[in-house]
Every structure is written in C-alpha cells, then in structure tokens.
C-alpha cells in the first residue's frame, strides 16, 4: 500500500531557502545561538540615561513620587535622543525615544495642572472651609458642585421670598451664603436662618413626591445671597461623586437637627424645663397643662415641622434620592 504524505526521505530532499544565500544562512545561525563575541559597553550617555530610568522606577507612587518619575524619565529620554542622534546615528531609536519624551511631558503638565490653586469668592470660600473642607472634600470636587452646570447663585432683597407656603414645590436645595432669612408659618416666626445654613433642608429630605410643596415660607430678613441646586442636577452629579453625596447627606442631617433643637429651646413648661424632641412623639404634650398658653401655638408649629422631617437621622452612607 502506497503511503500518502511526506516521509523523512521527501523532507530531506526539500531544498533549504538558506542554502541559496550563504549570508542569510550565517545571519540566521548567529541569531539562533547565544552571543559569543560581546561588544564593548555603550557610550556613557546611554549609561546615564538608564541610571535615570532606574531611579524613576524606584520612587513610591505618591503625587510627588509620580512627579519625580516623569521628570526623571524626561531627562533620561533627552539623553537617549542625543545619544541616538549624535553617537549611534539610529533614526528609529531617535524617533521612539522622542515619542516617549512627548508622552512624559504631557503627563507632567497634567499633574502640575491638577495641583493648580483654585480660588473662590469670599462667600463660597467660607462655605468650603466651614462645611466641606473638614470632610476632606477637595477644591476640585467643590468647584464642580458649585459650578454653573449644577448650581445657581441668586440675590434676595428684604421681603422677597425664597419659598411660599403651599405654593413653592420642594424640588431644590438652597444654601444661604450671606444675609439672614426667616422661616414663617401663617405669618408667625419659627426660626431664623443664617449664613452657611440650608434654607430648606427638612423639605428637601422629606419630599415624598414631585408635587410636594412647602409648609412654611422662607422670607429674606436682609439682603441675602444663596446658592441652590435642582434635585435632578444633584442626583446626576451624585452618580459620579458618591463620596460628595455622602458628605452632603450628612450636612443636611446636621442642619435639620440644629433647626429642630433651636426651636425646642424656645419651648418651656411652667417648671422651666424644655420638651425633648428626641421622644417618639411630642403631640401628647399639646394637651399637657404644664405648657403655658402662648407656648401651645409654637409647640403645634414645631409638631408640623417635625412631621415633615425624617424620623431618624440620615445615614452617613446614604445618597440623596
């Protein structure tokens, strides 16, 4: 039976492509085995460049470490470019090292640009230092939060309203930058609002539907400047900035607590004691005989406000929705 395919005899008879050119055959043989004749060391510029590369890759991965790494790489590639152009005269080495040089220069420029000083106007600077800086929010993050893409700054004159009772929807969050505002219900003062305080933190956090409206009015007592965010804009931002969302939720919870306790300090019984708003409900106190008659109305208003606030503080890790 005749065998099909190539046998050992046929393989031996196949002419080698290297036999046609003895030079190519010699070159292949030289590259197929280990080096026998070692060349002398390269130029001193080549050695210095590699020393710089060694140093650049030995630094830690901190900001200044990365800055040092790119600076050292730039110096090393500059030396290699000079070595390739003047010593070995190799255009391919020159071109590749030139590309690496440009990449590291761009990286270095970007790192320096990130550390540029970011300044705000005095009002925003005060808000950043007193509210956001203690939570390690960077200036870049705060700048994004107060940028025109997400926020707007508005001025209110005396008597102008930020929100009207049973009219204005609770679809935004305002933060007072300067001036003073009063919170009123049925034309009676509940509490004032000062700089670096939210104008509508209880309403913003307790919103149940898109049709919810303010149960109080917020009126400017002096010329005020405030910054506000639409709820939809904040939700869009917090998808990308989760830590910023956690910080803002914590600040809102703190602001709500401060407002409730400031109102609680105005309520006293005949014995001179304050009612504790941390109790599950303060409505039974409305019928208590210990309360002075003028205080009952204020207590009722406090019950209305507390009913629109969260039953428990906002968890620190919860994002606003």
């Amino acid at each position: 039976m005749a065998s099909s395919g190539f046998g050992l005899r046929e393989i031996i008879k196949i002419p080698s492509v290297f036999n046609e050119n003895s030079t190519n055959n010699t070159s292949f043989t030289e590259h197929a085995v280990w080096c026998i004749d070692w060349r002398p060391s390269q130029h001193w510029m080549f050695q210095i460049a590699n020393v710089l590369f060694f140093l650049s890759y030995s630094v830690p991965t901190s900001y200044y470490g990365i800055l040092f790494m790119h600076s050292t790489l730039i110096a090393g590639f500059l030396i290699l470019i000079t070595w390739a152009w003047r010593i070995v005269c190799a255009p391919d080495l020159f071109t590749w090292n030139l590309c690496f040089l440009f990449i590291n220069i761009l990286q270095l420029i970007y790192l320096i640009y990130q550390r540029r000083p970011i300044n705000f106007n005095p009002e925003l600077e005060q808000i950043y230092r007193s509210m956001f800086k203690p939570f390690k929010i960077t200036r870049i993050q705060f700048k994004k939060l107060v940028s025109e893409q997400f926020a707007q700054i508005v001025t209110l004159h005396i008597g102008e309203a930020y929100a009207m009772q049973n009219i204005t929807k609770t679809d935004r969050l305002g933060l007072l930058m300067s001036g003073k505002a009063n919170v009123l219900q049925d034309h009676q003062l509940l509490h004032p609002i000062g700089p670096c305080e939210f104008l509508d933190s209880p309403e913003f956090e307790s919103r149940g539907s898109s049709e919810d409206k303010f149960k109080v009015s917020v009126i400017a007592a002096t010329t005020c400047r405030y910054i506000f965010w639409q709820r939809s804009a904040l939700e869009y931002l917090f998808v990308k900035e989760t830590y910023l969302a956690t910080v803002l939720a914590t600040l809102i919870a703190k602001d709500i607590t401060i407002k409730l306790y400031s109102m609680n300090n105005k309520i006293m019984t005949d014995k001179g004691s304050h009612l504790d708003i941390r109790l599950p409900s303060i409505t039974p106190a409305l019928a208590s005989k210990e309360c002075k008659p003028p205080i009952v109305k204020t207590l009722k208003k406090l019950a209305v406000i507390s009913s629109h606030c969260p039953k428990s503080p906002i968890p620190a890790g919860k994002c606003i929705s």
Side-chain angles (χ1 to χ4, degrees), residues 102-309:
F102 284 147
I103 291 175
N104 282 275
I105 289 176
L106 293 177
Q107 291 282 355
L108 184 62
I109 293 174
Y110 178 72
L111 286 173
I112 297 175
Y113 175 77
Q114 282 188 317
R115 300 288 289 192
R116 73 193 186 281
I118 300 177
N119 299 318
F120 306 106
N121 63 54
E123 296 168 340
L124 289 177
E125 184 70 27
Q126 180 184 2
I127 291 174
Y128 172 74
R129 290 182 178 274
S130 61
M131 299 179 66
F132 292 90
K133 188 176 181 179
F135 288 95
K136 307 300 181 182
I137 295 295
T138 64
R139 287 182 174 269
I140 295 177
Q141 290 176 309
F142 184 70
K143 182 180 180 180
K144 183 183 296 185
L145 177 65
V146 299
S147 64
E148 295 181 356
Q149 180 182 0
F150 300 104
Q152 298 181 39
I153 297 177
V154 180
T155 300
L156 286 179
H157 299 286
I158 299 177
E160 292 183 343
Y162 169 79
M164 293 299 295
Q165 183 177 348
N166 298 324
I167 297 177
T168 308
K169 293 184 178 180
T170 59
D171 58 351
R172 58 181 176 172
L173 176 66
L175 178 63
L176 192 62
M177 299 169 58
S178 63
K180 179 182 177 182
N182 291 327
V183 178
L184 308 174
Q185 186 181 48
D186 298 330
H187 304 289
Q188 294 191 10
L189 177 65
L190 296 182
H191 63 85
I193 299 176
C196 299
E197 294 183 10
F198 289 100
L199 292 166
D200 50 356
S201 52
E203 290 79 10
F204 182 83
E205 181 59 28
S206 62
R207 185 193 188 200
S209 66
S210 59
E211 299 300 324
D212 285 353
K213 297 179 180 179
F214 278 78
K215 303 301 181 183
V216 295
S217 297
V218 182
I219 309 297
T222 63
T223 300
C224 302
R225 278 172 55 84
Y226 69 91
I227 182 172
F228 76 93
W229 300 267
Q230 293 292 339
R231 183 183 294 269
S232 58
L234 284 178
E235 291 175 349
Y236 175 77
L237 175 63
F238 290 161
V239 170
K240 301 179 180 179
E241 299 287 346
T242 54
Y243 180 68
L244 186 60
T246 302
V247 170
L248 194 60
T250 304
L251 292 173
I252 290 175
K254 177 183 177 182
D255 188 80
I256 293 173
T257 305
I258 292 174
K259 284 180 170 59
L260 289 177
Y261 273 97
S262 66
M263 294 180 61
N264 184 61
N265 290 333
K266 300 178 181 180
I267 304 174
M268 297 182 63
T269 64
D270 289 332
K271 297 181 180 180
S273 60
H274 293 281
L275 294 176
D276 194 346
I277 62 174
R278 293 173 296 179
L279 297 176
S281 176
I282 63 171
T283 52
L286 295 175
S288 175
K289 295 182 180 180
E290 295 182 355
C291 293
K292 297 179 181 180
I295 299 301
V296 175
K297 291 184 178 180
T298 307
L299 188 58
K300 288 181 179 179
K301 298 182 188 305
L302 178 59
V304 172
I305 297 300
S306 62
S307 66
H308 290 83
C309 296

Side-chain angles (χ1 to χ4, degrees), residues 63-118:
Y63 171 79
Y64 292 103
I66 296 177
L67 197 69
F68 175 81
M69 180 188 72
H70 287 293
S71 301
T72 310
L73 286 175
I74 289 173
F77 284 122
L78 278 173
I79 295 176
L80 275 186
I81 288 173
T82 306
W83 169 76
W85 186 261
R86 299 292 301 274
I87 306 302
V88 296
C89 300
D92 53 344
L93 290 176
F94 174 83
T95 304
W96 280 113
N97 286 288
L98 185 64
C99 293
F100 298 147
L101 175 67
F102 284 147
I103 291 175
N104 282 275
I105 289 176
L106 293 177
Q107 291 282 355
L108 184 62
I109 293 174
Y110 178 72
L111 286 173
I112 297 175
Y113 175 77
Q114 282 188 317
R115 300 288 289 192
R116 73 193 186 281
I118 300 177

Side-chain angles (χ1 to χ4, degrees), residues 32-45:
V33 297
W34 293 100
C35 295
I36 299 176
D37 296 329
W38 290 85
R39 296 181 180 181
S41 299
Q42 295 293 332
H43 194 266
W44 60 268
M45 298 180 69

